Each structure stands twice: as C-alpha cells, then as structure tokens.
Amino acid sequence: MKYAIISDIHANYDALSVVLEKCRELAIEDFICLGDIVGYNAEPERCLNAVRQLNLLGCVKGNHDEYVAGDSESMEGFNPHARKAVLWTKEQLVEEERQWLRERPLRQTIPNSNITIVHATLDSPEAWGYIFDIHHAADNFSYQFTQLCFCGHSHVPVAFCKKPITNSSEKPIIELYDWAYKRNEEYAPLDAGVADNITIDILPGYKYLINVGSVGQPRNNDPRASFAIYDRSAQTVTRFRLPYDIKSQQEKIRAAQLPERLALRLATGS
Ligand code: ZN
C-alpha cells in the first residue's frame, strides 16, 4: 500500500496536475494533504476541487487556508504579497469551499496507520512555527506518538529521525541530510528534466519527522514541484521533484493581477 503525501499546493494547478499525473502512473490511489491548498498562486478553486476529488486519508489546515476561510483580516507575520493573495483568494471561493477549508483539523492521526500529519508543528500547530533544525524537531518529537509525522509549511524539505535510546552518549535525534538535498551548480542543470528521487528507509523503533516540500511554491532553490510517497509494505519514503510549466502559472498570476514577486519566485524556487 502506497500513499502520496502532498503539501503547500498554493493554488498552483500547473504543478499539482503534474504531481497527480505522476501518482496515476505509479498507481497511487490514496492521498494525504498537509494543508495550504490555496494562497499565493492563481488557481485556488481548481486546486481545491482537485484535492477534494482525491481519496483523502487525511487533510490538515494550513495558515493560508485558515486566513482564506476565516473572516479576520489580521494575518500575523504575513508579508504584503501573501496578504494580497489571501484577500484575492477569498473572492475566488464560494462559502461552501471556504467552509470545507475551515473544517480541516490542525493535526490528524491517520486511522489504522502509524502516521500523524500537521501543517506546521505538533507542539503548537496553531502558532504556525517552522521546523528547520534539530531543536525544532526535538520539540515536535515530544508530541509525536506515531512512528511517522509528515509536515509542511516551510516549503523546504527536511527530515529528522529519533533513535531508540541506546546509550546516553549518543545523540537521539539526527537530521537525514540526503532528504534536504539542495540543487546547485554541482548537480544537473535546472532544465535537465530528470526527477531525482530520494528514498529513506523507515527502521523499526525509530521515529521520523518529514517535511515533504511544496508542490506549488518550492523554496529550496529548486523550482520543481516536491512531494513524497510512503510505501507501507516496503517501509520507505521517497521524495520526488518534478518539473512543470512554470511559465503557464506565471501568466495566470499576472492575468489575475497578483503581485509580480509571486510569479518571479516560482522560477527561482525561492
Ligand atoms: Zn505554505
């Protein structure tokens, strides 16, 4: 049994459709969504409809979902571009769609599985904190009661594991650096069009905290859509990067008169 884990789609249907096509190719039927389906890009309703049609085992709310679905105009920590996109997105959705977003939980344990999901952090999901390093991961692990936790929010893929305690001199939490692979000049050029997949093994007794990266607005200097597949029988998690039609989404952003910065950042993955 395999699950696709998708996060931070951010109203980018050009990216989402490529990810869903890949999942069809791989015969993946079950999906887990880590929130921020909307915000930033130009196709919120289309993305929301596409996600709702999936066989969703779980779907949590992101901060953009919350602001779009809510009535408050206070968006703490948001830059003017993100704020403008939220206000624009509100007008694109009907009340029933906003209500669906509003009803998503902040964290969720997937029934009959070893998986918990959250958009931001398990320790205080409503505070929308970020997990970038081992200290953040340690806070999260204190609240993680399943073997796997998938999160999003930073748009930067990172993964940590917590070892079963063996002796006191050993560090219990380590970062899995392969997962956080950054694309730069040392690797293939950006237009190589080759998906590089990174697989980690899920070992018995260990706990894992995994950020799967962003489908619709990647930020680790790699503009390709990012998502992951958990293979439950093989006990592996694989991260995929897929090129998509960035120009098409940029044109839609401009046609919607959303901030130019939102179009530009798609091309640089920043
Ligand atoms: Zn996001």
Side-chain angles (χ1 to χ4, degrees):
M1 180 155 288
K2 293 178 184 179
Y3 309 141
I5 300 118
I6 53 178
S7 188
D8 295 278
I9 296 160
H10 281 298
N12 184 341
Y13 189 76
D14 292 296
L16 178 61
S17 58
V18 167
V19 168
L20 296 183
E21 182 55 42
K22 183 74 182 175
C23 291
R24 264 190 295 275
E25 257 174 61
L26 298 170
I28 309 285
E29 290 170 1
D30 296 316
F31 289 81
I32 291 169
C33 177
L34 307 181
D36 275 1
I37 299 168
V38 300
Y40 289 128
N41 298 304
E43 295 169 287
E45 194 167 47
R46 203 171 177 193
C47 288
L48 189 55
N49 288 338
V51 169
R52 290 176 70 177
Q53 278 166 26
L54 298 172
N55 184 34
L56 279 179
L57 304 182
C59 178
V60 285
K61 190 182 348 186
N63 50 330
H64 289 251
D65 302 327
E66 176 162 286
Y67 295 142
V68 164
D71 293 321
S72 160
E73 299 224 335
S74 98
M75 290 170 238
E76 218 174 297
F78 263 35
N79 66 48
H81 306 318
R83 180 187 297 264
K84 191 167 178 206
V86 164
L87 298 175
W88 177 85
T89 304
K90 273 189 186 190
E91 291 166 15
Q92 312 304 312
L93 300 182
V94 298
E95 178 50 28
E96 188 274 333
E97 291 164 335
R98 292 176 64 217
Q99 189 186 336
W100 187 86
L101 286 174
R102 207 176 299 135
E103 286 168 355
R104 293 312 96 203
L106 286 173
R107 63 184 139 202
Q108 194 175 6
T109 298
I110 309 298
N112 307 313
S113 83
N114 52 351
I115 303 169
T116 303
I117 58 172
V118 68
H119 183 68
T121 68
L122 285 179
D123 43 315
S124 50
E126 70 291 342
W128 308 118
Y130 293 94
I131 297 168
F132 281 118
D133 59 31
I134 278 185
H135 305 290
H136 303 144
D139 292 341
N140 199 85
F141 277 125
S142 317
Y143 291 82
Q144 182 178 329
F145 306 111
T146 53
Q147 188 181 22
L148 288 164
C149 175
F150 292 106
C151 66
H153 192 40
S154 68
H155 302 200
V156 176
V158 287
F160 301 90
C161 78
K162 187 172 183 197
K163 299 175 181 177
I165 299 294
T166 43
N167 67 60
S168 55
S169 63
E170 227 180 6
K171 283 189 183 150
I173 297 171
I174 54 168
E175 179 166 2
L176 303 169
Y177 286 108
D178 286 353
W179 187 264
Y181 163 92
K182 275 189 186 168
R183 174 162 276 243
N184 59 35
E185 308 72 50
E186 289 170 39
Y187 294 93
L190 288 177
D191 60 357
V194 182
D196 45 29
N197 311 336
I198 292 157
T199 297
I200 53 177
D201 292 317
I202 304 302
L203 306 174
Y206 285 58
K207 277 186 182 175
Y208 295 82
L209 168 62
I210 299 171
N211 184 315
V212 300
S214 167
V215 171
Q217 195 197 72
R219 287 182 195 159
N220 61 322
N221 303 318
D222 183 342
R224 296 171 304 164
S226 181
F227 77 106
I229 288 175
Y230 171 45
D231 184 332
R232 205 169 159 169
S233 23
Q235 283 298 303
T236 57
V237 183
T238 301
R239 179 162 71 72
F240 290 80
R241 300 303 294 239
L242 299 175
Y244 71 94
D245 191 345
I246 292 174
K247 284 204 169 69
S248 165
Q249 189 56 221
Q250 288 177 318
E251 279 164 23
K252 292 168 192 167
I253 289 170
R254 288 173 183 133
Q257 298 187 304
L258 285 162
E260 176 65 12
R261 159 85 180 121
L262 297 180
L264 295 177
R265 70 188 303 177
L266 292 180
T268 53
S270 60

